[in-house]
């Protein structure tokens, strides 16, 4: 029985599959072109895809009727056609929880980088411009006392809130439903008006696609910061470029739309945008634990057990 893994994974989790007698095929490259994906899934009973692999009905049908489980190597599942999986009786699982702290850490890294102009400062020093100390050199925002508005208050949103408190920030949030948490719940419109920093932590769904459209981006406070470590398509990128030129202090983006963000994109030219290449969960141990979680779910389905993290 064949399992297709769309990228090499850190750690030894895949050994467990081999020990159970499964034939494990791993795509070794950085990219997996669509045609290669379609070819390599043929005859697989299980898939472990990454966020970059669009797993739709065509992929499922090319795998064939033996396909039983798609064990996503991510918590987000917007790259999988869940309805198509349901119709074919294919289970879909994901890796929630194990990447929460790493993603919250990166959110804070981006916040500090933008607020205190770390990337600009590092380039300034490296480029030989650092000739003197000056009281007005590279002034940024003091985090103490600022209001952080979290949109999405699940695992990652709450982990970011904890970190923000340690920096002396006030936390408010918006989600679909209020939670028993010690932070004020606000409507989206209220949050955008109040927050000095807006940070996105919802999944990408039809409801959240372009949640921050032009109107909402410009409804943010003048001089505010936007953080996105969730999914790029939550934001209207073109409007964000405009907002960064005229309205916002800056943005920290681990995810973009499109992704990867192509060379020459206007976002790269903005000194107040700090962009990282979707590395929210990229702690070594975290990535090993994601592999272990995906393997555990995949084996559970193939062995007829209920998987620990089902989506479908
Ligand atoms: P989670 O625990 O499921 O939390 C999601 C939150 O989003 C919940 O509070 C939910 O509200 C809220 N939400 C959902 N739909 C909403 C809507 N229409 N309007 C307002 N709020 C909405 O998920 P998580 O583990 O924190 O992960 C969040 C997302 O982060 C993932 O889906 C993934 O796309 C992204 N992520 C990115 C990286 C990266 O590498 N950059 C790493 C990990 C995760 P309710 O609680 O009211 O339902």
């Amino acid at each position: 029985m064949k399992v297709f893994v769309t990228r090499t994974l850190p750690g030894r989790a895949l050994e467990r599959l081999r020990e159970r007698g499964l034939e494990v095929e791993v795509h070794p490259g950085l990219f997996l072109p669509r045609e290669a994906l379609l070819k390599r899934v043929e005859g697989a009973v299980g898939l472990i895809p990454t966020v970059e692999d669009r797993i739709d009905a065509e992929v499922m049908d090319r795998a064939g009727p033996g396909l039983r489980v798609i064990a996503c190597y991510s918590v987000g599942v917007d790259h999988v056609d869940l309805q198509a999986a349901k119709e074919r009786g294919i289970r879909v699982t994901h890796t929630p929880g194990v990447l929460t702290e790493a993603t919250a850490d990166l959110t804070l890294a981006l916040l500090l980088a933008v607020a205190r102009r770390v990337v600009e400062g590092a380039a300034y020093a490296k480029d030989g411009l650092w000739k003197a100390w000056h009281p007005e050199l590279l002034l940024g925002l003091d985090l103490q006392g600022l209001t952080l508005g979290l949109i999405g208050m699940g695992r990652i949103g709450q982990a970011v809130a904890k970190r923000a408190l340690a920096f002396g920030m006030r936390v408010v949030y918006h989600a679909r439903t209020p939670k028993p948490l010690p932070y004020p719940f606000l409507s989206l419109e209220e949050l955008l008006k109040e927050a000095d920093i807006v940070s996105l932590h919802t999944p990408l769904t039809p409801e959240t696609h372009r949640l921050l459209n032009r109107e909402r981006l410009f409804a943010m406070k003048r001089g505010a910061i936007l953080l996105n470590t969730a999914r790029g398509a939550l934001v209207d990128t073109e409007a964000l470029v405009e907002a960064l030129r005229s309205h916002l202090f800056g943005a920290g983006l681990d995810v973009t739309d499109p992704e990867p963000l192509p060379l020459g994109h206007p976002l790269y030219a903005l000194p107040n945008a700090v962009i990282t290449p979707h590395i929210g969960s990229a702690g070594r141990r975290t990535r090993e634990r994601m592999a272990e979680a995906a393997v555990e779910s995949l084996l559970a389905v193939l062995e007829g057990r209920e998987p620990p993290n089902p989506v479908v």
Side-chain angles (χ1 to χ4, degrees):
M1 290 205 294
K2 168 172 132 181
V3 171
F4 180 52
V5 185
T6 66
R7 303 290 186 287
T8 50
L9 303 181
R12 302 187 45 76
L14 296 181
E15 287 311 309
R16 250 188 98 195
L17 299 179
R18 296 193 178 95
E19 283 160 13
R20 307 284 167 112
L22 291 161
E23 179 197 333
V24 182
E25 267 191 33
V26 180
H27 174 70
L30 188 58
F31 307 106
L32 177 58
R34 178 81 181 167
E35 273 315 308
L37 170 67
L38 289 170
K39 183 93 200 95
R40 305 274 318 253
V41 297
E42 281 173 9
V45 294
L47 301 181
I48 302 185
T50 72
V51 290
E52 226 167 60
D53 308 307
R54 186 163 48 83
I55 307 297
D56 53 15
E58 188 185 16
V59 173
M60 296 174 203
D61 291 340
R62 280 291 283 272
L67 182 62
R68 290 169 58 196
V69 53
I70 299 165
C72 296
Y73 186 72
S74 57
V75 62
V77 290
D78 46 281
H79 55 304
V80 178
D81 184 337
L82 300 178
Q83 186 56 33
K86 206 180 276 177
E87 284 163 11
R88 289 161 178 75
I90 300 166
R91 299 300 303 268
V92 178
T93 67
H94 65 157
T95 63
V98 293
L99 40 53
T100 297
E101 307 301 328
T103 309
D105 287 349
L106 190 84
T107 308
L108 265 291
L110 287 173
L111 172 55
L112 288 164
V114 175
R116 297 301 305 277
R117 303 174 62 182
V118 172
V119 176
E120 269 179 277
Y124 184 89
K126 217 179 193 172
D127 292 348
L129 300 171
W130 184 16
K131 308 282 190 210
W133 187 93
H134 192 281
E136 290 187 317
L137 179 64
L138 286 164
L139 297 184
L141 298 184
D142 296 295
L143 295 185
Q144 170 101 35
L146 294 188
T147 296
L148 170 66
L150 297 161
I151 301 178
M153 197 54 160
R155 290 168 291 253
I156 298 171
Q158 291 180 43
V160 171
K162 277 193 209 148
R163 285 157 174 76
L165 296 184
F167 283 86
M169 286 183 257
R170 171 177 173 256
V171 172
V172 299
Y173 75 98
H174 172 74
R176 283 177 298 196
T177 48
K179 327 266 164 230
L181 290 168
Y183 318 111
F185 173 88
L186 302 182
S187 71
L188 184 54
E189 271 56 40
E190 285 168 338
L191 181 143
L192 296 175
K193 229 185 281 164
E194 271 201 29
D196 302 294
I197 300 143
V198 171
S199 192
L200 294 169
H201 301 287
T202 70
L204 175 61
T205 63
E207 293 74 46
T208 61
H209 185 260
R210 303 251 166 126
L211 187 70
L212 291 193
N213 55 20
R214 180 177 305 265
E215 193 188 338
R216 288 188 175 136
L217 283 167
F218 281 90
M220 284 171 65
K221 271 188 177 175
R222 179 170 285 279
I225 289 176
L226 174 68
L227 302 172
N228 190 1
T229 57
R231 284 292 181 267
L234 298 176
V235 181
D236 176 339
T237 304
E238 209 177 292
L240 176 61
V241 170
E242 273 177 48
L244 282 168
R245 286 185 179 135
S246 60
H247 187 69
L248 299 178
F249 182 82
L253 309 171
D254 184 47
V255 287
T256 57
D257 179 26
E259 199 168 295
L261 196 67
L263 198 65
H265 192 282
L267 272 177
Y268 286 129
L270 297 171
N272 55 347
V274 175
I275 299 158
T276 50
H278 202 147
I279 54 171
S281 63
R284 177 168 295 281
R285 184 63 195 125
T286 293
R287 287 283 168 86
E288 288 174 359
R289 291 178 71 195
M290 288 166 66
E292 288 156 15
V295 162
E296 177 52 35
S297 289
L298 186 133
L299 278 177
V301 174
L302 294 185
E303 291 171 357
R305 293 179 279 119
E306 180 59 17
N309 296 303
V311 179
V312 165

